[in-house]
Amino acid sequence: MNDAVPPASGPADSGLLAKARKSLWPGIVWAFPLAALLIVAYLGLQGLADAGLTVVVTFDSADGARPGDTKVVYKGINVGHVTDVELAKDGQHVDLTLRLNRNLEPRLGAESKFWLVGSNPSLTDLRSLKAAVSGLSIGMATGPGAPTRRFVGLKQEPAISPDTPGRTFLLDADSIASLRRGSTILYHGDEVGTVVDVSTTHARSFRLQLFIRAPFDSYVRPESLFW
């Protein structure tokens, strides 16, 4: 009876096993540094994303602005903060460096606006008093235009945010009583707009710039009455 006997492993088989081991080992050796490089690259990209977007805004002055403390507010939420305050190259203005949420980058065109909130409190403007108590902040509104990283801040806080939908109207009046910039415009008891500016045209006449929010701006007609 012939029993099949498996052939003994010879030198040739040992050589094949050695070759297989040698071919696997270099790949394993290079896998670790490659994985480390990928992790470092990922962390670097993540760090850049977390770093945010840096812009510089020039103001006439910035009394009260402090790096790390002064917040940037957009649509009522904090989207950044001041990282540096320094004198502008002309020696007459102040450059504030802001770090903003990177999600704002696609909407940050040349017509974007920045202004100081709480720098000029007024007894007739409760909003400015509240801002003065809570501390100086920077308001902003995104706008169209070419991408840029340098802006000139508004000289005063706008009575209405620049990105608010609606329209501006001019109203001539013989008397304005207690009306002033920031006064509220009512329609059937609802707040629909704001007095943006008041100027004198003649000795006894005034011109008011009114902003009426949408959709109430569509209700204004040439025969509309204001009092």
Side-chain angles (χ1 to χ4, degrees):
M1 181 171 69
N2 292 330
D3 292 331
V5 178
S9 298
D13 293 334
S14 299
L16 290 175
L17 182 59
K19 289 182 180 179
R21 288 177 179 174
K22 290 180 180 179
S23 64
L24 290 176
W25 180 247
I28 295 175
V29 170
W30 285 106
F32 288 108
L34 181 59
L37 286 174
L38 291 175
I39 293 174
V40 170
Y42 172 79
L43 293 177
L45 292 174
Q46 190 69 28
L48 289 175
D50 294 339
L53 178 69
T54 299
V55 302
V56 177
V57 185
T58 301
F59 290 98
D60 290 341
S61 64
D63 187 24
R66 296 187 297 272
D69 292 334
T70 303
K71 306 300 182 184
V72 181
V73 179
Y74 172 65
K75 292 186 179 295
I77 63 173
N78 292 336
V79 295
H81 62 276
V82 175
T83 60
D84 190 30
V85 180
E86 62 180 1
L87 191 66
K89 291 182 179 180
D90 62 5
Q92 303 297 318
H93 299 84
V94 177
D95 285 342
L96 298 187
T97 302
L98 314 180
R99 182 168 294 164
L100 304 177
N101 189 316
R102 189 165 291 276
N103 293 336
L104 294 171
E105 185 172 10
R107 299 190 292 275
L108 203 62
E111 295 185 31
S112 299
K113 307 296 183 184
F114 294 84
W115 60 89
L116 300 176
V117 180
S119 60
N120 295 303
S122 171
L123 294 176
T124 61
D125 188 349
L126 295 179
R127 184 180 61 173
S128 69
L129 290 176
K130 180 180 178 181
V133 171
S134 60
L136 184 72
S137 61
I138 298 176
M140 68 167 293
T142 58
T148 181
R149 296 295 176 266
R150 295 196 68 94
F151 301 88
V152 176
L154 300 179
K155 294 185 179 298
Q156 62 179 347
E157 180 182 357
I160 193 82
S161 180
D163 57 357
T164 303
R167 285 189 295 166
T168 300
F169 300 90
L170 295 178
L171 177 65
D172 292 324
D174 295 332
S175 174
I176 59 173
S178 60
L179 286 177
R180 55 179 49 83
R181 184 178 183 272
S183 294
T184 299
I185 301 171
L186 301 177
Y187 177 71
H188 290 295
D190 291 332
E191 183 179 337
V192 300
T194 304
V195 176
V196 176
D197 189 35
V198 178
S199 59
T200 304
T201 54
H202 298 291
R204 290 179 174 267
S205 61
F206 304 88
R207 172 161 291 178
L208 290 82
Q209 184 178 348
L210 314 178
F211 182 86
I212 310 295
R213 294 197 303 272
F216 301 99
D217 59 331
S218 61
Y219 301 162
V220 180
R221 301 284 190 273
E223 63 273 13
S224 297
L225 301 177
F226 294 83
W227 63 91

